[in-house]
Amino acid sequence: MADQHLERSLQNRHIQLIAIGGAIGTGLFMGSGKTIATAGPAILFVYLLIGAALFVFMRAMGELLLANTSGSFADLATQLIGPWAGFVVGWSYWLTWVVTGVADMVAIVGYSRFWWADIPAWIPVVLTVMLLITLNAMTVKAFGEIEFWFALVKILAIVSLIIVGIWMVFRGQINEAGTAASVSNLWNHEGMFPHGVSGFIAAFPLAIFAFSGIELVGTTVAETKDPEVTLPKAINSIPVRIMLFYVLALAAIMMVTPWNQIDPEKSPFVTMFALTGLGAAATVVNIVVLSSAASSANSGIYSTSRMLWGLAHQGSAPELFGVLSRRRVPLNALFLSCVLLLTSIVLLLAGDSVLGAFTMVTAMSATLFMVTWAFILVAYLRHLKQNPEAHQKSTFKSPGGAVGAWLVLAFLACMVVILSIEAETRIGLIATAVWMVGITVVARRSTKNHPNAAAHHA
């Protein structure tokens, strides 16, 4: 497998938009109504805090990846922590995106029923899976191109929402409840912390779901032209993206409709556009959220196939997953990940339990993402200790260095504690814990029986 190398076809514009797409999760469109109801206007501070912590995390990951641009973060976990860690990170990240992809399939079926109420669940799922296989099997450049346009749709929708919101505030537009749009709506309804500290804390698990996939740019590094230029650009623009896509967008929503008049069961994005009086608003927003879920699934399929390819080259997965097609795509790994998305049909056929299963699936997904983030931070700390000269020479040093990494690890630990408090998210947390114990035992045995597994890496 030594001659099997991924192709560096992703250009700067692809990486910038993949990074933006990764920062705008389906959770922003679907879950923002619930987060606003939980924390009120304080949700703006929740997103700012999560954004600040994940920016420091992304800078640490960026420094780490630029010290070795030939592999993903699973390869770095192998090198810096040990073969067992690379095994755990690789398989856990693979599972994370399979689980997320299943949740996206469930969402796509729901969005499809907006137009065709009685459509059987398997039709949108099978059609989406066939589309994903086709798009990803062509070339990595085709993946970059489709993700570019998917992300562009999301950006245009949010920028439009902010412009419409500002226009409504200037006009003092009256909503259905008879309240005029105004900046003062942010603090005039029981203050900015209407539910106190408890409401503020309870919003964190819901909000962190929206950031799932922010690390996605780290899986593209081996297929990126000039990663030393494109990766820092993508990471450094994260604060601006969080301010624009999360803080400004939700502030615009709450200025037009006070937080206590927003229905947590509905997407506030749809409600906002409906206030403009445009009849097609709901259809347009439904197309946006549909493309957002498809974009997430597309990113997931890309990530899982590359991670499985890397695991095969480490000797941690069957060799057939390490083979590339003529177009330099890991087709076998891609096919397995796509087939597993079909399990969403079984989930949907379960009937009444779909919503509960969907909540558990997304909670498990977010917890698994945090596990990956924690491993990357530990690998970064090991890098600082083992390669102090590389850190000194780095042109993209992480702010705060080791202190920053420890603070983000403490933040993630707090998130786990909060996830354990809520009954809805506790199931996903327990499922993740069971997986982590199981995969760690398998990793220890596998790397003990094959101590040179890491040497198989191409």
Side-chain angles (χ1 to χ4, degrees), residues 92-328:
S92 295
Y93 196 65
W94 173 81
L95 178 70
T96 304
W97 275 110
V98 168
V99 169
T100 306
V102 168
D104 289 327
M105 291 298 115
V106 174
I108 285 167
V109 172
Y111 299 146
S112 302
R113 285 178 177 163
F114 175 83
W115 292 291
W116 306 285
D118 301 320
I119 192 168
W122 66 269
I123 294 176
V125 172
V126 170
L127 288 175
T128 306
V129 168
M130 285 169 66
L131 176 69
L132 293 175
I133 290 175
T134 307
L135 293 174
N136 281 274
M138 290 189 285
T139 57
V140 67
K141 196 170 183 181
F143 160 78
E145 206 59 49
I146 196 74
E147 207 44 40
F148 175 86
W149 291 105
F150 270 147
L152 208 55
V153 168
K154 289 195 253 191
I155 293 162
L156 289 172
I158 295 172
V159 170
S160 303
L161 177 128
I162 293 166
I163 292 167
V164 166
I166 292 167
W167 173 67
M168 285 179 173
V169 168
F170 272 116
R171 284 187 58 202
Q173 178 135 354
I174 308 294
N175 67 18
E176 291 167 353
T179 309
S182 167
V183 177
S184 62
N185 282 335
L186 290 174
W187 56 82
N188 272 355
H189 301 266
E190 300 171 65
M192 292 202 80
F193 288 80
H195 296 309
V197 176
S198 60
F200 176 68
I201 290 170
F204 275 91
L206 300 166
I208 208 158
F209 294 164
F211 287 89
S212 298
I214 197 168
E215 75 305 310
L216 184 67
V217 75
T219 64
T220 65
V221 74
E223 294 175 275
T224 303
K225 282 183 181 176
D226 306 318
E228 292 82 2
V229 177
T230 54
L231 201 62
K233 267 189 189 174
I235 292 170
N236 281 337
S237 63
I238 285 173
V240 175
R241 295 204 303 267
I242 289 164
M243 285 300 294
L244 180 65
F245 300 130
Y246 288 89
V247 179
L248 260 177
L250 293 188
I253 286 167
M254 289 185 287
M255 282 190 280
V256 172
T257 307
W259 72 271
N260 54 357
Q261 293 172 19
I262 291 169
D263 186 346
E265 300 303 314
K266 291 181 182 173
S267 171
F269 285 76
V270 179
T271 312
M272 176 94 154
F273 279 111
L275 282 172
T276 62
L278 297 171
T283 300
V284 170
V285 176
N286 204 64
I287 291 167
V288 170
V289 292
L290 181 65
S291 71
S292 177
S295 161
S296 175
N298 191 42
S299 301
I301 288 307
Y302 171 86
S303 297
T304 54
S305 60
R306 268 54 179 185
M307 203 53 78
L308 206 48
W309 177 86
L311 287 163
H313 279 260
Q314 286 182 1
S316 300
E319 286 199 8
L320 69 112
F321 296 123
V323 178
L324 293 179
S325 68
R326 284 186 297 108
R327 290 175 171 153
R328 322 300 286 169

Side-chain angles (χ1 to χ4, degrees), residues 73-87 89 314 316 379 453-455 457:
F73 37 75
D75 303 315
L76 292 167
T78 298
Q79 293 164 26
L80 294 160
I81 306 171
W84 71 271
F87 188 103
V89 170
Q314 286 182 1
S316 300
H457 184 60

Side-chain angles (χ1 to χ4, degrees), residues 296-384:
S296 175
N298 191 42
S299 301
I301 288 307
Y302 171 86
S303 297
T304 54
S305 60
R306 268 54 179 185
M307 203 53 78
L308 206 48
W309 177 86
L311 287 163
H313 279 260
Q314 286 182 1
S316 300
E319 286 199 8
L320 69 112
F321 296 123
V323 178
L324 293 179
S325 68
R326 284 186 297 108
R327 290 175 171 153
R328 322 300 286 169
V329 172
L331 220 50
N332 295 335
L334 172 70
F335 189 70
L336 174 69
S337 299
C338 282
V339 166
L340 287 170
L341 294 187
L342 298 174
T343 57
S344 56
I345 297 170
V346 179
L347 242 185
L348 287 155
L349 291 174
D352 295 338
S353 63
V354 167
L355 193 62
F358 182 77
T359 304
M360 193 208 81
V361 162
T362 49
M364 185 177 179
S365 163
T367 314
L368 281 165
F369 271 114
M370 288 195 283
V371 166
T372 301
W373 299 342
F375 265 105
I376 294 169
L377 289 166
V378 172
Y380 174 71
L381 289 167
R382 295 294 290 268
H383 168 71
L384 294 183

